[in-house]
Amino acid sequence: MDELQPDGTVLRRAKGRFVLPMAAEWTEDLGEWVEHRYLRQLRQFTKGGFRHVDFVSRIEATGDGFVIHMSIEMLPRGLVGWVGGALGLMRRGALKFIASTDRIIQRELALPASEEQADTMQSTSFAPATLPAGARRRLDLALAVIAAQPVHGGLSGQLDAYLCGTPNTWLQRIRPLTLARQWRVDEAAVVSLFLAAHEQGLLTLRWKVLCPRCRNARDVPDNLGDLPKSVHCTTCNVDFEQEFSANVELTFQPEPWLRPLPDGAYCTMGAPSVPHIKVQRNVDAGRTLEIDPPLQPGGYRLRTTQAGDQVDVDWDGTGEFLTLPARNGEILAGPPSPVGKILLENQTDRNLTFVIEELAWRKDALTGDRVIAMPAFQHFCPEQILRPGDDVAIANVVLLFTDLKGSTSMYEALGDAAAYNLVRHHFDYLTELIERHGGVLVKTIGDAVMAAFAEPVEAVGAALEAQLGIGVFNQDRDDGGIVPKVGLHQAPRIAVTSHDHLDYFGSTVNVAARVQGESAGGDIVISDDLMAATGVRGAFRLAGAAEPAEETAELRGVAKAVRLWRLQFDPSP
């Protein structure tokens, strides 16, 4: 439990068992570390066999390796503590921990070069988990179902090894996109794998509302409908709103029958649980601390754990990193630090904890707006719906609308039965390619289709394939085939639950439908917002299509003329 102190610092109050087989209660701060250089955690005990335990580890880089200096100071209290000290129990506990650390390091050093950068969570010396009775058979049955699904080809074995061989610490917050990078496989396939594992009862979904400062989760419901609107972070002492596209992340945990996890969190030596935080160091009032973290080029957020302003910087790695002065309740991006160092300057009258966190963590966040636009989510998680009357804001979803040219005359010429059969075949045609490009069919409206995509390039790819392949679809059909009208638009919108499935609404949905209404058939019309998205123009070149032509149009319900882009196709096979 986090407790805010009068000076703005945070103490964590915890309980458990520590070295001696007896209950213990203690307080600790948020911990200190500099990645690959330094780690410290001090616990002050109020119950148990110790007064305090102070763990410090320093890593010294050498010409061809490194040296680790590790110390564990344990001050006993009471009869049990002094007896444990006299019998050498504390010393043996400390040596056991050091030996375990040495085994982990030796195993890391022995990894083949191809695996050194994988950062795999199994590359530790923890013993494989002992599964509860009957769990192995139940796991095998579920994995067999998953393995039979083509999209998960070969991944079920990796999931098996991960669920059985990973320490409890890392199973409390499984991030599929992190594993996709570590396994070097397609992200969508790994997300689908974990959603299928959820459907088979292996994993539970955890919707985490992340604090915008510390990125820790304060609410973890297992259903989309239970997401809170407002959240308070006790660590940062800030209130913030749930933003579905920015701070809602979907993670996973094993079901208790498979891997029963202990209650609570592993907060001591917390750096592994927040790998995006590269530096977290306490600096006394009026003092300056010099550190030497081996930071990589990229974007960083500079802040303190105490409430106050923050600043984001991009560092290209060519010069020295910035000095971090803190004064007047804010942290600043100061002048360059000395060569190979970073200066943390506390110019205030209170102690502060400085933080340097890497912003690249966001690339591994499976945000809410991204996952609900994936076909696997709709397929494997039909129970995940919003409460009636609730909605969430979506920042980055592309809508694709299609319709048929001359549908009225088609029904008159073919008759209702034949025309309906043709429309159903065209729905199957579009659904298959939409899902293959990572989109989801939201709904059909008469002869029209509405689909959603998380990625602009995938949406454009689906539209291109729909028009490029329509000649083959129409070939040799007795009913004469169809001429699709296609429109694409990207802008913020709202997601709701309608008729027990997720749907989108709002003015931007109407604009997307109006964009499709500008299609004459046999073409694709794209809004200017989507055309400006990264990779869209390249998607046309990659498909061998011409550059869309620019035009302006008056859209019903839109006050000003808008810029659109049109690409015409030859309907022949």
Side-chain angles (χ1 to χ4, degrees):
M1 180 176 63
D2 291 339
E3 296 180 358
L4 185 67
Q5 305 301 300
D7 63 355
T9 60
V10 173
L11 280 183
R12 283 178 170 165
R13 189 171 300 278
K15 58 184 178 180
R17 298 184 182 276
F18 194 83
V19 180
L20 297 175
M22 61 183 298
E25 294 181 3
W26 64 89
T27 60
E28 60 187 44
D29 62 18
L30 299 178
E32 293 188 85
W33 61 86
V34 176
E35 187 178 56
H36 302 318
R37 293 292 184 266
Y38 176 83
L39 179 65
R40 184 186 183 191
Q41 186 73 60
L42 172 64
R43 285 181 167 179
Q44 302 281 0
F45 286 79
T46 56
K47 179 180 179 180
F50 304 94
R51 294 188 184 276
H52 76 250
V53 175
D54 191 5
F55 173 87
V56 180
S57 177
R58 290 182 173 86
I59 302 177
E60 178 186 343
T62 63
D64 57 352
F66 56 90
V67 177
I68 298 180
H69 305 272
M70 189 179 297
S71 68
I72 304 176
E73 179 182 288
M74 301 180 181
L75 181 63
R77 67 181 296 168
L79 179 62
V80 174
W82 287 108
V83 170
L87 295 177
L89 296 179
M90 299 178 190
R91 177 179 176 82
R92 286 200 294 271
L95 292 176
K96 182 179 179 181
F97 174 80
I98 293 172
S100 174
T101 302
D102 181 65
R103 288 195 302 272
I104 293 172
I105 294 171
Q106 295 296 337
R107 179 167 176 175
E108 290 282 354
L109 294 174
L111 284 175
S114 61
E115 297 183 33
E116 284 181 354
Q117 303 303 318
D119 191 30
T120 173
M121 292 179 179
Q122 291 100 314
S123 58
T124 64
S125 295
F126 292 93
T130 301
L131 300 183
R136 181 70 254 181
R137 181 175 180 275
R138 187 173 173 182
L139 174 62
D140 288 341
L141 291 174
L143 289 173
V145 175
I146 295 171
Q149 299 162 352
V151 70
H152 307 134
L155 293 179
S156 59
Q158 287 179 271
L159 178 62
D160 187 358
Y162 180 79
L163 293 178
C164 296
T166 301
N168 287 345
T169 310
W170 291 302
L171 289 177
Q172 292 191 344
R173 187 180 182 181
I174 304 173
R175 305 178 82 203
L177 301 187
T178 300
L179 289 180
R181 176 168 47 81
Q182 293 168 356
W183 294 349
R184 296 184 175 91
V185 295
D186 179 67
E187 290 181 348
V190 176
V191 174
S192 178
L193 172 74
F194 276 79
L195 293 173
H198 163 69
E199 184 198 42
Q200 290 298 315
L202 300 182
L203 301 174
T204 182
L205 277 64
R206 306 289 282 169
W207 294 97
K208 294 184 175 288
V209 184
L210 306 178
C211 171
R213 285 177 56 84
C214 68
R215 310 298 179 191
N216 286 323
R218 292 303 156 202
D219 288 89
V220 285
D222 55 11
N223 195 285
L224 189 59
D226 296 325
L227 281 174
K229 291 292 186 182
S230 299
V231 184
H232 177 76
C233 177
T234 55
T235 301
C236 301
N237 192 31
V238 295
D239 296 306
F240 59 96
E241 296 299 310
Q242 172 244 105
E243 296 182 46
F244 199 61
S245 302
N247 62 9
V248 174
E249 180 183 11
L250 179 61
T251 63
F252 296 83
Q253 280 186 358
E255 290 285 0
W257 66 263
L258 177 61
R259 290 289 301 272
L261 302 180
D263 293 333
Y266 292 86
C267 48
T268 292
M269 282 94 75
S273 63
V274 283
H276 60 286
I277 295 181
K278 304 304 180 183
V279 173
Q280 183 162 295
R281 287 300 307 265
N282 300 331
V283 183
D284 292 339
R287 302 296 297 272
T288 295
L289 178 66
E290 183 180 273
I291 58 175
D292 62 338
L295 298 181
Q296 299 298 313
Y300 291 90
R301 173 164 294 168
L302 316 177
R303 61 179 178 87
T304 64
T305 60
Q306 291 76 17
D309 290 340
Q310 60 198 29
V311 61
D312 293 349
V313 299
D314 286 314
W315 182 55
D316 61 10
T318 57
E320 301 309 315
F321 202 84
L322 305 175
T323 297
L324 276 64
R327 58 176 178 265
N328 300 326
E330 62 179 352
I331 192 167
L332 307 173
S337 295
V339 176
K341 307 293 182 180
I342 298 178
L343 298 182
L344 311 178
E345 299 179 351
N346 185 355
Q347 301 176 14
T348 73
D349 58 359
R350 60 174 182 157
N351 299 338
L352 295 176
T353 302
F354 286 72
V355 173
I356 302 176
E357 67 174 279
E358 189 178 42
L359 295 178
W361 72 273
R362 291 177 293 196
K363 71 179 183 298
D364 286 343
L366 185 57
T367 53
D369 61 343
R370 181 174 182 179
V371 71
I372 69 169
M374 302 179 74
F377 182 79
Q378 302 282 348
H379 177 73
F380 292 119
C381 305
E383 81 286 357
Q384 294 288 321
I385 57 176
L386 295 168
R387 291 174 298 227
D390 279 4
D391 58 66
V392 291
I394 303 294
N396 187 38
V397 172
V398 183
L399 292 184
L400 178 149
F401 276 87
T402 74
D403 204 349
L404 298 182
K405 180 180 179 180
S407 59
T408 301
S409 58
M410 177 186 72
Y411 276 88
E412 292 176 351
L414 297 179
D416 289 347
Y420 176 77
N421 185 58
L422 173 57
V423 169
R424 296 306 304 172
H425 285 174
H426 123 273
F427 283 159
D428 293 340
Y429 167 71
L430 291 177
T431 300
E432 190 278 329
L433 66 88
I434 286 168
E435 293 187 353
R436 185 153 34 80
H437 284 272
V440 60
L441 179 68
V442 178
K443 58 186 173 183
T444 60
I445 312 160
D447 305 328
V449 163
M450 175 182 173
F453 296 80
E455 300 296 333
V457 171
E458 294 289 0
V460 171
L464 284 167
E465 184 175 345
Q467 290 291 28
L468 288 170
I470 200 63
V472 176
F473 174 86
N474 289 335
Q475 194 171 25
D476 300 327
R477 293 190 67 94
D478 294 336
D479 51 29
I482 57 173
V483 179
K485 302 192 296 181
V486 179
L488 292 163
H489 178 49
Q490 174 184 255
R493 54 192 51 85
I494 301 297
V496 299
T497 293
S498 175
H499 299 98
D500 294 329
H501 74 276
L502 290 170
D503 198 353
Y504 300 90
F505 85 99
S507 61
T508 54
V509 178
N510 295 331
V511 171
R514 303 284 188 269
V515 170
Q516 181 273 316
E518 294 297 308
S519 171
D523 57 1
I524 298 174
V525 180
I526 302 175
S527 71
D528 196 47
D529 295 300
L530 179 57
M531 198 65 187
T534 301
V536 167
R537 292 181 182 273
F540 285 104
R541 291 193 294 271
L542 187 63
E547 181 83 1
E550 179 183 346
E551 60 184 62
T552 59
E554 300 281 349
L555 300 184
R556 183 163 57 89
V558 179
K560 298 181 179 179
V562 299
R563 180 162 59 174
L564 301 176
W565 301 80
R566 186 187 304 271
L567 181 62
Q568 195 70 43
F569 291 84
D570 180 357
S572 60

